[in-house]
Amino acid sequence: MVRFSNNLVGLLNFITFLLSIPILGAGIWLSRQSSTECEKFLQGPAIALGLFLMVVSLAGLVGACCRVSWLLWFYLLVMFLLIVLLFCFTIFAFAVTNKGAGEVVSGKGYKQYRLGDYSNWLQKRVSSTKNWNKIRSCLIDGKVCKSLVDDGVSNNITAEQFSQEKLSPIQSGCCIPPDDCSFTYISPTNWTTQSNSSFTDTDCSQWNNNASVLCFNCGSCKGGVLDNIKHDWKKVAIVNIIFLVFLVIVYSIGCCAFRNNREDNSWNKYPRRYP
């Protein structure tokens, strides 16, 4: 009789196998349809995740239901490594996101963000030319600054009214010049610069009213992106904790199924003989 643990492992892996199909399909679709750097950046992880889930779930499904011990051993090994990696990543995520926050500006409804306020590891990753070019491409393709108008922040809004707007970290860092520049407001993404002025903030010289430039090369933009990453990573870390508990339970059930396989194989190899 097939034991409960084997059935449960088989069922869980069958569900995982079904989930891997749309993930793999989405990655393949992106590889054929992607036209932007941002979309191309997503296709690799999607295909890799889909293939990984498919192979591991098949190993667990066949190993548990067909009593193939070496496949179940492979499945448990991968699960153990995954548990260790997720545990390490969760600790790392909390460590690197523990530093950095937006700076409140007096009389403003939004905050200002500075690259140097965040952890050195995150700074190096986002400041890399290769990485930042991809991130900037995603920001431009996503029209994060155009959304200031699309979301109802009209071009006719006054400077006083605009200063009270609740902007996201990316909008505040990438779509408007830093407050220290003291530029004259015309519209949310249009400011009169003072070319003859000397600025203490190097971001001021990076600002341009061109919709594809704005402050996308500014340190404040990178700081806004890091603040967004920081909050997202903390959410992911919390989800990881829940997922880790689930994986440990599944791993424990898998160990029971593996033990059942070995016992059954031993029974079949050395059947009890009656006199």
Side-chain angles (χ1 to χ4, degrees), residues 170-215:
I170 291 179
Q171 288 176 329
S172 176
C174 306
C175 305
I176 64 174
D179 196 62
D180 295 340
C181 301
S182 300
F183 290 162
T184 303
Y185 171 88
I186 303 298
S187 72
T189 56
N190 190 357
W191 301 71
T192 300
T193 61
Q194 302 173 12
S195 56
N196 296 327
S197 301
S198 57
F199 304 112
T200 56
D201 192 337
T202 56
D203 284 353
C204 299
S205 59
Q206 299 284 348
W207 171 264
N208 192 300
N209 288 323
N210 188 311
S212 62
V213 179
L214 298 179
C215 218

Side-chain angles (χ1 to χ4, degrees), residues 24-267:
L24 181 59
I28 295 174
W29 181 85
L30 280 174
S31 68
R32 295 182 176 180
Q33 302 293 328
S34 58
S35 57
T36 65
E37 188 67 28
C38 187
E39 291 173 334
K40 292 177 181 177
F41 178 74
L42 295 174
Q43 71 187 37
I47 292 175
L49 178 61
L51 286 174
F52 173 79
L53 290 176
M54 186 172 288
V55 171
V56 174
S57 60
L58 279 175
L61 180 62
V62 176
C65 296
C66 299
R67 306 300 183 92
V68 182
S69 295
W70 71 268
L71 275 178
L72 200 55
W73 180 87
F74 170 76
Y75 169 76
L76 291 174
L77 176 63
V78 174
M79 287 285 288
F80 176 77
L81 293 176
L82 184 59
I83 290 172
V84 173
L85 286 174
L86 279 178
F87 178 78
C88 293
F89 173 77
T90 302
I91 299 298
F92 176 75
F94 278 116
V96 299
T97 58
N98 192 44
K99 181 182 178 183
E103 179 182 339
V104 177
V105 182
S106 178
K108 306 287 185 180
Y110 51 83
K111 297 180 180 180
Q112 297 275 285
Y113 299 87
R114 301 182 187 280
L115 178 62
D117 292 341
Y118 298 87
S119 72
N120 292 330
W121 188 87
L122 285 177
Q123 287 185 49
K124 291 178 181 179
R125 301 288 86 73
V126 81
S127 295
S128 165
T129 302
K130 180 180 178 181
N131 292 340
W132 183 248
N133 285 340
K134 291 180 179 179
I135 295 172
R136 182 177 58 190
S137 175
C138 289
L139 295 176
I140 295 173
D141 292 338
K143 299 179 180 180
V144 294
C145 296
K146 186 176 181 297
S147 64
L148 288 177
V149 178
D150 295 341
D151 291 344
V153 182
S154 170
N155 284 329
N156 297 322
I157 195 172
T158 66
E160 182 65 25
Q161 291 173 322
F162 180 73
S163 66
Q164 299 306 313
E165 289 292 329
K166 304 295 184 182
L167 304 182
S168 68
I170 291 179
Q171 288 176 329
S172 176
C174 306
C175 305
I176 64 174
D179 196 62
D180 295 340
C181 301
S182 300
F183 290 162
T184 303
Y185 171 88
I186 303 298
S187 72
T189 56
N190 190 357
W191 301 71
T192 300
T193 61
Q194 302 173 12
S195 56
N196 296 327
S197 301
S198 57
F199 304 112
T200 56
D201 192 337
T202 56
D203 284 353
C204 299
S205 59
Q206 299 284 348
W207 171 264
N208 192 300
N209 288 323
N210 188 311
S212 62
V213 179
L214 298 179
C215 218
F216 289 120
N217 293 317
C218 298
S220 62
C221 185
K222 296 175 182 178
V225 169
L226 285 184
D227 194 80
N228 196 66
I229 291 175
K230 171 185 173 180
H231 287 91
D232 287 345
W233 273 31
K234 282 192 173 180
K235 292 177 183 177
V236 170
I238 293 173
V239 173
N240 275 352
I241 293 174
I242 300 173
F243 189 49
L244 272 171
V245 174
F246 173 75
L247 282 180
V248 170
I249 294 174
V250 174
Y251 179 79
S252 301
I253 297 172
C255 288
C256 293
F258 180 71
R259 184 180 60 192
N260 292 342
N261 282 7
R262 295 191 64 180
E263 289 177 354
D264 289 343
N265 289 338
S266 298
W267 175 269

